[in-house]
Amino acid sequence: MNAATDMQARFDAAPPFEGYPYAEPAASRRAVRGVLEAKPVKISATPFNWRDPRTIPTRPWVFGRWLLRGTVTAVVAPGGVGKSSFMASLVLSLTTGRALLGKSVWGGSQRAWYWNLEDDSEELERQVQAAAIHYRVCEDECGDRLFIDSGMEEQHELCTAVNGPEGFMILKPVIAGLEAELKTRGIDVLIVDPFVSSHSIEENDNNAIDAIVKEWARLAKRVGCSIVLVHHSKKLGGTKVTAEASRGASSLVAAARSTLVLNRMDDQEAERFMIDGDDEKRRLFTVQDDKHNRAPAEKAEWYRMASVDLGNFDGEHSDNVGVVTQWTPPDAFAGVTPDHLRRVQGIIAGSEFRESSQAGNWAGNAVATVLGLSAEKHAKADRQRISNILREWLANGALRVERRADPTKGRDVPYVVVGDVVE
């Protein structure tokens, strides 16, 4: 038998591929020019099954276009932005079937399990009960669909992987126990917060983290639930959080099907949205899918931390707890009509107004007069609204900029003049 015939015979006798290549014992292997020689495996290509696309089942979304059954979603956030409070409102939305955060709960109310590994049970109770007070959710509305556990309690600790005597090891009995409970309870969404506390592996170990996340993904697929792994971002010095900004190994977000990022409002956004004061700015943040490989990219959704009194007054004080609520950025044009523009154009046509907001004859003064706003420098919110309105009218041609000679400066400077006149 020649070499080619021998190789074909070995190939035909090889077992089918079932996840890992079959290899001979180490003693019978030999390397040829740096390539490991072992028995070949049987690999079969599957012909594509053409079908009527209308018969293909729709993707099994659970919560908006953020959570999908059978997959893992990563959530990346800086410390203190309100991710635990966000999760409390999220599980209430899921279990009631109500779009409390502006996202549809597909198929009606769902069964949700929030496993927080860094807050104690009483703190979790505060967060969930505060959200229930704000959204007027009662126990009957959630039924038996809500499950909350604290990893701070010994009986609810969670560890899915360790570095043992033989190196990295996924704890299969733990995974099996999770699978059994997810099936028994019929869980639709499991949230693990934070992911770093669910294993004892160095978080920079890309290979190990990749294996752990893929184990979670296989679990999600087998059970048919959506699994959410909450993770901290790196310290970014004020820059925005992205999927790539997750702390430690990049394999977490690489293995996840979608990655939600939470970002605090920055100074530029506060100015654009006319937010006056740091206290209010700190309450505002966005959530956005920064990976969206299973759905179209969505614009960032805005949320605000409201403060809810639990009513647990003990004679000295009661607890005020943050609750995440939807927030809509203010519209600079709210209440502004074509008649307002017509009046502004009349004022600008009758005098000279500069484009610069630092000039005494700033065009914003005309807007302030018509809308009853203040153009004074101390009125930051009003001035920003005026600037937003002027920017839009300049963009759509209702006003335009014209350079004229300024004798006091000895050069041309931009003035605002009337553009397309409103009849």
Side-chain angles (χ1 to χ4, degrees), residues 222-300:
R222 290 196 302 270
V223 177
C225 74
S226 174
I227 293 179
V228 180
L229 302 178
V230 183
H231 194 51
H232 297 292
S233 68
K234 303 171 185 174
K235 293 182 179 179
L236 299 172
T239 60
K240 291 290 188 180
V241 174
T242 64
E244 289 74 27
S246 65
R247 199 175 69 190
S250 61
S251 52
L252 167 60
V253 297
R257 285 302 182 185
S258 60
T259 301
L260 304 181
V261 294
L262 278 62
N263 277 293
R264 295 186 182 91
M265 175 177 280
D266 61 29
D267 291 340
Q268 291 73 30
E269 290 165 334
E271 184 176 332
R272 185 167 76 251
F273 296 137
M274 302 163 282
I275 304 301
D276 196 4
D278 287 342
D279 183 62
E280 180 62 15
K281 185 185 75 172
R282 283 192 292 267
R283 292 175 176 267
L284 299 164
F285 65 95
T286 59
V287 180
Q288 183 175 19
D289 186 353
D290 198 43
K291 193 171 180 183
H292 50 253
N293 61 1
R294 288 288 178 97
E298 296 183 15
K299 66 179 182 178

Side-chain angles (χ1 to χ4, degrees), residues 73-306:
T73 295
V75 176
V76 180
V81 73
K83 61 179 178 58
S84 295
S85 297
F86 182 77
M87 295 304 157
S89 292
L90 172 58
V91 293
L92 282 188
S93 181
L94 288 166
T95 52
T96 61
R98 292 162 53 189
L100 304 181
L101 296 173
K103 295 293 181 183
S104 298
V105 182
W106 303 108
S109 55
Q110 306 290 317
R111 300 176 71 81
W113 183 4
Y114 180 31
W115 203 339
N116 187 302
L117 304 175
E118 61 183 5
D119 291 329
D120 61 44
S121 58
E122 285 191 347
E123 186 56 36
L124 294 176
E125 289 170 0
R126 291 185 187 99
Q127 292 172 4
V128 173
Q129 295 284 179
I133 291 171
H134 178 83
Y135 288 113
R136 298 182 180 180
V137 172
C138 63
E139 181 180 353
D140 289 345
E141 192 175 0
C142 292
D144 63 351
R145 295 181 294 275
L146 179 59
F147 302 87
I148 306 287
D149 282 302
S150 167
M152 300 298 289
E153 298 170 356
E154 187 174 351
Q155 68 270 32
H156 296 302
E157 291 178 345
L158 176 63
C159 184
T160 59
V162 297
N163 273 318
E166 298 181 2
F168 168 75
M169 181 184 301
I170 289 177
L171 301 179
K172 291 292 186 176
V174 174
I175 301 299
L178 276 167
E179 182 170 351
E181 184 67 355
L182 290 169
K183 288 179 177 178
T184 298
R185 298 289 190 178
I187 300 297
D188 298 292
V189 177
L190 167 64
I191 301 168
V192 177
D193 178 14
F195 169 65
V196 69
S197 296
S198 68
H199 59 81
S200 63
I201 304 302
E202 166 57 47
E203 66 178 352
N204 289 304
D205 188 333
N206 250 314
N207 290 334
I209 298 300
D210 179 68
I212 296 170
V213 179
K214 286 179 178 174
E215 190 67 37
W216 279 112
R218 284 189 287 269
L219 175 61
K221 188 70 174 178
R222 290 196 302 270
V223 177
C225 74
S226 174
I227 293 179
V228 180
L229 302 178
V230 183
H231 194 51
H232 297 292
S233 68
K234 303 171 185 174
K235 293 182 179 179
L236 299 172
T239 60
K240 291 290 188 180
V241 174
T242 64
E244 289 74 27
S246 65
R247 199 175 69 190
S250 61
S251 52
L252 167 60
V253 297
R257 285 302 182 185
S258 60
T259 301
L260 304 181
V261 294
L262 278 62
N263 277 293
R264 295 186 182 91
M265 175 177 280
D266 61 29
D267 291 340
Q268 291 73 30
E269 290 165 334
E271 184 176 332
R272 185 167 76 251
F273 296 137
M274 302 163 282
I275 304 301
D276 196 4
D278 287 342
D279 183 62
E280 180 62 15
K281 185 185 75 172
R282 283 192 292 267
R283 292 175 176 267
L284 299 164
F285 65 95
T286 59
V287 180
Q288 183 175 19
D289 186 353
D290 198 43
K291 193 171 180 183
H292 50 253
N293 61 1
R294 288 288 178 97
E298 296 183 15
K299 66 179 182 178
E301 301 285 349
W302 280 100
Y303 296 95
R304 181 180 183 274
M305 291 290 291

Side-chain angles (χ1 to χ4, degrees), residues 297-333:
E298 296 183 15
K299 66 179 182 178
E301 301 285 349
W302 280 100
Y303 296 95
R304 181 180 183 274
M305 291 290 291
S307 182
V308 172
D309 190 322
L310 285 183
N312 56 347
F313 184 70
D314 63 359
E316 295 183 358
H317 69 277
S318 60
D319 289 323
N320 282 280
V321 180
V323 174
V324 172
T325 63
Q326 278 188 277
W327 183 76
T328 302
D331 180 5
F333 280 85

